[in-house]
Amino acid sequence: MIKILASSRLTLVGMLLLGGGAILSYGNPVDMPVWVLVIPMAFLALNLVCAMISNPRINRRYGLLVFHAGLLSVVILAAIGRLTHFDAHVEMLNGAAFDSKDLINIRQGPLHNSSALETVQFVQGDYTISYSPGIARGPTHNQVTLPTNDGEGQPVIFGDAVPLVIQGYRFYTSFHKGFAPIMTWIPNQGAKITGTVHMPPYPLYDYRQANRWQPPGAQEIKFWLRLGTGIDANSDWVLDAKKATGILVVNSGERRIELQPGEMAQLPGGQLRYEYMTSWMGYKVFYDPTLHWLFFTSVIGVIGLLFHFWQKVNKKLI
């Protein structure tokens, strides 16, 4: 039975199943279960274990045995990673505290426990992004503040390549970041509301900084933000969110009004006050507890393979 399960033909079948699972999982669609990857991995792991037990060309050569043990560990860890992984996005307003309830586009394995994520705390701060001619994106310097016992908070700066890691969750700044006007809606009847409307990512949608909002009991309002950021497509340029300015263009029915920060407009159903403009940063949140172990076992496997070939070459030389 073990020799049958160790068949190289079954290895080929497992590889084909894994390839099919990888195609189905491309782009990490929400409705695709991780089992299309995990089951082929489990099948290949069983096939590999049987080969290590039954094949003397593997279990009698220490280098090859270590290599296959490393390969087996990689397959098992990859399967565990798929079962426990977490992947999501979040947009954070400057000055806002992280809240796991704000996460969107969540993808997670069936065995993932997100209780640690609910304890993650930091506050979004300012950021700058360097650009080269042609609006080629360079380094991002994103600042957040971590809580401390003395209440002062610890500032931390990180970027696209080096994530902020808290409780094993890795927060990467994404290409999605931009501006948001803070507004107060004062209805003719009822309590006033202060909130924000996130504009599309900048400078990806430089000339399409538009969004819309419908106040409770009133007609929809369309917004356009006319930005002043100092953007320069022909030379090196730094996007500094705190130095940017913006005029809020409000379209309500047939009316078109331009508001400076602090100005107010009378609209059907109430008044709209443009408080000020702030920025938001988008994050990709990623969790996979197997990453470090994958690296370690991969290195062990490579060392085993090198040792095997070193032995073969050494025998020929002798």
Side-chain angles (χ1 to χ4, degrees):
M1 186 64 180
I2 291 179
K3 287 187 176 180
I4 294 175
L5 291 174
S7 168
S8 58
R9 293 180 179 177
L10 290 182
T11 305
L12 180 60
V13 172
M15 294 297 291
L16 290 174
L17 289 174
L18 184 60
I23 293 172
L24 292 173
S25 302
Y26 182 75
N28 203 11
V30 174
D31 55 349
M32 188 54 59
V34 296
W35 301 110
V36 298
L37 290 172
V38 173
I39 290 177
M41 288 179 188
F43 180 79
L44 286 170
L46 177 63
N47 174 255
L48 196 52
V49 168
C50 292
M52 292 168 64
I53 294 173
S54 62
N55 193 333
R57 287 178 297 180
I58 296 176
N59 56 39
R60 292 181 183 176
R61 298 173 181 175
Y62 296 127
L64 273 184
L65 184 61
V66 171
F67 168 71
H68 282 82
L71 189 59
L72 175 63
S73 300
V74 168
V75 173
I76 293 174
L77 288 170
I80 294 174
R82 285 294 84 196
L83 290 170
T84 58
H85 87 285
F86 182 88
D87 192 351
H89 293 83
V90 66
E91 294 179 0
M92 291 188 61
L93 208 63
N94 191 342
F98 173 75
D99 188 339
S100 60
K101 296 176 183 175
D102 296 331
L103 290 166
I104 57 174
N105 300 328
I106 297 175
R107 312 280 194 277
Q108 59 182 335
L111 301 184
H112 178 76
N113 183 351
S114 60
S115 58
L117 180 62
E118 297 170 1
T119 66
V120 172
Q121 297 180 45
F122 67 88
V123 176
Q124 178 64 41
D126 296 317
Y127 61 81
T128 61
I129 304 173
S130 301
Y131 288 90
S132 300
I135 315 296
R137 184 177 177 175
T140 296
H141 298 277
N142 180 63
Q143 178 174 312
V144 301
T145 302
L146 305 181
T148 56
N149 293 331
D150 60 8
E152 294 293 327
Q154 176 189 356
V156 176
I157 296 177
F158 60 98
D160 302 335
V162 180
L164 172 69
V165 183
I166 306 178
Q167 300 282 24
Y169 291 87
R170 309 169 77 85
F171 291 77
Y172 294 89
T173 52
S174 74
F175 284 90
H176 287 182
K177 78 285 178 188
F179 299 95
I182 304 293
M183 297 172 289
T184 298
W185 172 252
I186 308 169
N188 294 335
Q189 295 181 344
K192 65 181 180 181
I193 304 169
T194 297
T196 181
V197 175
H198 287 207
M199 292 300 176
Y202 184 87
L204 182 62
Y205 299 104
D206 181 17
Y207 296 103
R208 285 180 281 179
Q209 294 294 301
N211 209 331
R212 57 183 65 194
W213 177 63
Q214 184 164 3
Q219 68 181 42
E220 183 182 75
I221 305 173
K222 297 179 181 177
F223 302 104
W224 177 57
L225 198 57
R226 193 164 70 215
L227 289 168
T229 61
I231 185 172
D232 188 344
N234 300 315
S235 61
D236 292 337
W237 165 70
V238 176
L239 172 61
D240 189 340
K242 65 183 178 185
K243 294 181 179 178
T245 60
I247 295 174
L248 184 64
V249 180
V250 179
N251 287 282
S252 176
E254 300 298 324
R255 294 189 63 194
R256 182 182 186 278
I257 308 163
E258 294 190 0
L259 296 178
Q260 295 279 356
E263 292 184 337
M264 181 181 290
Q266 181 69 49
L267 301 176
Q271 294 177 302
L272 180 75
R273 183 167 63 222
Y274 174 28
E275 304 288 359
Y276 61 93
M277 187 185 76
T278 187
S279 59
W280 60 269
M281 170 57 75
Y283 291 97
K284 175 181 172 63
V285 186
F286 181 75
Y287 175 86
D288 186 339
T290 67
L291 287 181
H292 292 95
W293 288 105
L294 278 170
F295 174 77
F296 177 73
T297 54
S298 299
V299 170
I300 294 296
V302 170
I303 291 174
L305 191 61
L306 290 174
F307 179 73
H308 170 70
F309 284 115
W310 177 80
Q311 281 185 315
K312 292 185 69 173
V313 171
N314 197 39
K315 285 181 180 178
K316 289 182 178 179
L317 291 176
I318 294 174

